[in-house]
Amino acid sequence: MTGSRLRRVALISVHTSPLAQPGVGDAGGMNVYVWQTAKRLAQRGVEVEIFTRATSSTDEPVVTAAPGVTVRNVVAGPFEGLDKRDLPTQLCAFTAGVLRAEAGRPVGYYDLVHSHYWLSGQVGWLVRDRWAVPLVHTAHTLAAVKNASLAAGDTPEPPMRQVGEQQVVDEADRLIVNTESETQQLISIHGADPRRIDVVTPGADLECYTPGSRTQARLEFGLDPDEVVVTFVGRIQPLKAPDVLLRAAAPLIRRGLADGKKLRLLIAGGPSGSGLDRPSSLIDLARELGVESSVTFIPPQSPQRLVQVYRASNLVAVPSYSESFGLVAIEAQATGVPVLAADVGGLGVAVENGVSGVLVDGHDIDDWTAELDRLLGDLPKLEAMGAAAHQHAQHFSWDHTADQLLAGYGKAIETFRSRVAPRAAASPVPAANGTDTEDDRPLTRIARRFAGRRNGVRT
């Protein structure tokens, strides 16, 4: 479907704003995904409105975030101190805010709803029926997948989330996934219809993440130009496994300190999720391992600064226990830095094993130490791998992602209309004067009557 035929899309991102700094709180790869795809849809002539929950009393109700992209901060619950696990209690309030915003628009204002994460899917399910438009949903993560690969001591996702995810999978007109493996997970776990699933590969901002001077980048962060730097970028929580990297690197750091070949870990991120229970845990671990002088912690960085973090690195590590794709891996490779990653989820797609980086099977500390030692022991080969990484990343652009999304949106609209319009036409609601006006078109009548729901359920 071309952007000229699709006028306007409502994106729903309840629990985190695309304008939030990734790496802070619950903000992460999903924020980047929503923001980057929204901008590129707008560049293709599609107006985008993003509904997200306000988290500060200073949040403006409506923000023009980019040409063609509007962010609506919906008040639902307290601005601060509300844990993501408590957000289901505010879905009614959030949905009411979304419906009120639409009520001031002409009938048929939105052509499609795209929800991100299961909480947003619950909202999208209702507004899809109210507005009589197709619902496209991207899960980003699945509770069952996360629970199957929990880090030791981490908190499992509650059964309530799995129930909610099942409902959204059943109701969505189209499901967007990052990889083929995620397609199989939706089918095996939630019984999703494969005919309603589209694989849409995420990307990186290839204009921002480009190779550059390592020396200059290190000067900006006060790093020794003669050290070997291994970097972790992401939220500090058990799921992302920065502790695995720290434990694996510790013996190499100690050995380097003894023989003069210095290795430094650069950790860019902030505590999040269950990591908030012990926000200083990684600092404490570095101290316990006796390597605190060789570990540098910096807060989450804007894209303009994050590219310099990557450029300062010899190697970027992504040791996550679960990762639906792994945007950090693509961003690092686009900058010309190879990646050492756990062979989980979408990282097997993001990293070309043995070419643009190396995939490690599992999270055994000795295995990670061995791979680090092997890669860092041949720096010329690591540099050549970085050049290959840059070329590999060129296959992943947000422009390509946006084009794939538009194709999926087109399928959703076609199937929705073919399924709903005949049923609407069979039960006409005449206008008061006995004639059908423009606002009494079949799909408009559905929007007014909350009809067109699956499984025979009526409101």
Side-chain angles (χ1 to χ4, degrees):
M1 176 174 214
T2 62
S4 60
R5 293 177 56 196
L6 183 68
R7 302 168 304 159
R8 195 172 292 107
V9 171
L11 303 186
I12 302 179
S13 178
V14 173
H15 78 282
T16 179
S17 169
L19 301 183
Q21 170 63 56
V24 176
D26 292 317
M30 192 183 98
N31 297 64
V32 178
Y33 185 107
V34 173
W35 174 239
Q36 293 291 344
T37 55
K39 288 196 300 181
R40 281 155 179 80
L41 288 172
Q43 290 167 3
R44 285 155 176 75
V46 180
E47 291 184 44
V48 178
E49 289 197 13
I50 304 171
F51 292 86
T52 189
R53 195 179 77 86
T55 56
S56 171
S57 59
T58 62
D59 287 343
E60 292 291 336
V62 181
V63 178
T64 301
V69 180
T70 301
V71 174
R72 292 184 174 273
N73 292 301
V74 179
V75 176
F79 293 118
E80 299 174 356
L82 192 66
D83 189 273
K84 187 169 73 171
R85 289 168 291 190
D86 298 324
L87 285 179
T89 66
Q90 299 304 317
L91 289 183
C92 182
F94 185 90
T95 304
V98 174
L99 293 178
R100 285 169 185 156
E102 186 270 345
R105 300 293 197 181
V107 174
Y109 188 73
Y110 300 104
D111 297 311
L112 179 141
V113 177
H114 187 172
S115 56
H116 294 268
Y117 194 64
W118 77 276
L119 293 170
S120 302
Q122 292 282 315
V123 178
W125 173 11
L126 176 58
V127 301
R128 182 275 307 273
D129 289 353
R130 179 65 183 89
W131 299 346
V133 296
L135 170 63
V136 175
H137 179 70
T138 304
H140 291 280
T141 63
L142 295 173
V145 175
K146 290 183 69 174
N147 287 346
S149 53
L150 282 179
D154 201 3
T155 305
E157 295 295 318
M160 173 184 64
R161 174 179 169 180
Q162 297 186 52
V163 172
E165 288 177 338
Q166 183 66 62
Q167 292 172 327
V168 176
V169 169
D170 290 343
E171 286 293 331
D173 297 283
R174 208 84 195 161
L175 296 165
I176 302 294
V177 299
N178 294 330
T179 62
E180 288 290 350
S181 64
E182 195 176 348
T183 296
Q184 296 308 312
Q185 290 167 350
L186 277 177
I187 294 170
S188 62
I189 297 170
H190 292 294
D193 182 351
R195 295 170 299 179
R196 292 192 293 116
I197 302 175
D198 293 310
V199 177
V200 175
T201 310
D205 186 343
L206 299 181
E207 294 181 359
C208 174
Y209 296 106
T210 60
S213 170
R214 178 172 294 156
T215 300
Q216 180 60 40
R218 290 191 179 184
L219 284 174
E220 290 186 24
F221 294 100
L223 301 174
D224 187 336
D226 295 325
E227 290 182 326
V228 175
V229 177
V230 177
T231 298
F232 170 91
V233 174
R235 288 171 287 168
I236 309 300
Q237 58 178 208
L239 176 70
K240 300 298 183 180
D243 60 304
V244 170
L245 174 62
L246 182 53
R247 291 181 186 278
L252 303 182
I253 291 173
R254 290 192 292 265
R255 188 180 72 192
L257 291 173
D259 63 19
K261 297 179 181 178
K262 294 182 180 179
L263 170 62
R264 175 163 299 277
L265 286 190
L266 177 59
I267 311 291
S272 173
S274 56
L276 291 170
D277 297 335
R278 291 186 60 205
S280 65
S281 60
L282 211 58
I283 298 173
D284 296 338
L285 179 59
R287 186 177 300 113
E288 292 170 12
L289 295 171
V291 297
E292 68 271 25
S293 64
S294 297
V295 182
T296 297
F297 292 90
I298 60 175
Q301 304 290 305
S302 68
Q304 293 72 26
R305 293 276 291 170
L306 183 56
V307 65
Q308 291 295 79
V309 171
Y310 293 135
R311 288 170 178 167
S313 311
N314 295 92
L315 181 70
V316 168
V318 187
S320 307
Y321 283 94
S322 177
E323 202 71 69
S324 64
F325 191 71
L327 297 184
V328 165
I330 294 297
E331 291 170 353
Q333 291 173 101
T335 314
V337 180
V339 171
L340 179 64
D343 191 6
V344 298
L347 287 170
V349 175
V351 178
E352 188 173 0
N353 193 25
V355 177
S356 68
V358 172
L359 297 171
V360 181
D361 185 13
H363 294 82
D364 181 82
I365 302 301
D366 290 339
D367 291 344
W368 276 80
T369 299
E371 285 297 344
L372 278 171
D373 195 19
R374 183 177 67 84
L375 289 170
L376 300 180
D378 190 346
L379 292 181
K381 184 176 181 180
L382 194 63
E383 291 297 311
M385 187 173 280
H390 174 67
Q391 293 300 318
H392 173 68
Q394 303 312 299
H395 299 292
F396 301 89
S397 72
W398 288 119
D399 288 314
H400 182 54
T401 305
D403 291 338
Q404 290 179 306
L405 279 178
L406 284 175
Y409 290 171
K411 295 175 188 176
I413 290 173
E414 289 174 9
T415 56
F416 182 82
R417 287 176 174 168
S418 65
R419 184 185 75 248
V420 174
R423 292 162 57 185
S427 55
V429 180
N433 61 5
T435 62
D436 280 349
T437 66
E438 183 179 2
D439 282 348
D440 289 312
R441 292 168 298 181
L443 293 182
T444 302
R445 289 197 293 270
I446 299 171
R448 287 180 169 177
R449 298 173 57 203
F450 282 43
R453 296 180 65 173
R454 286 196 178 90
N455 304 320
V457 178
R458 300 297 296 259
T459 53

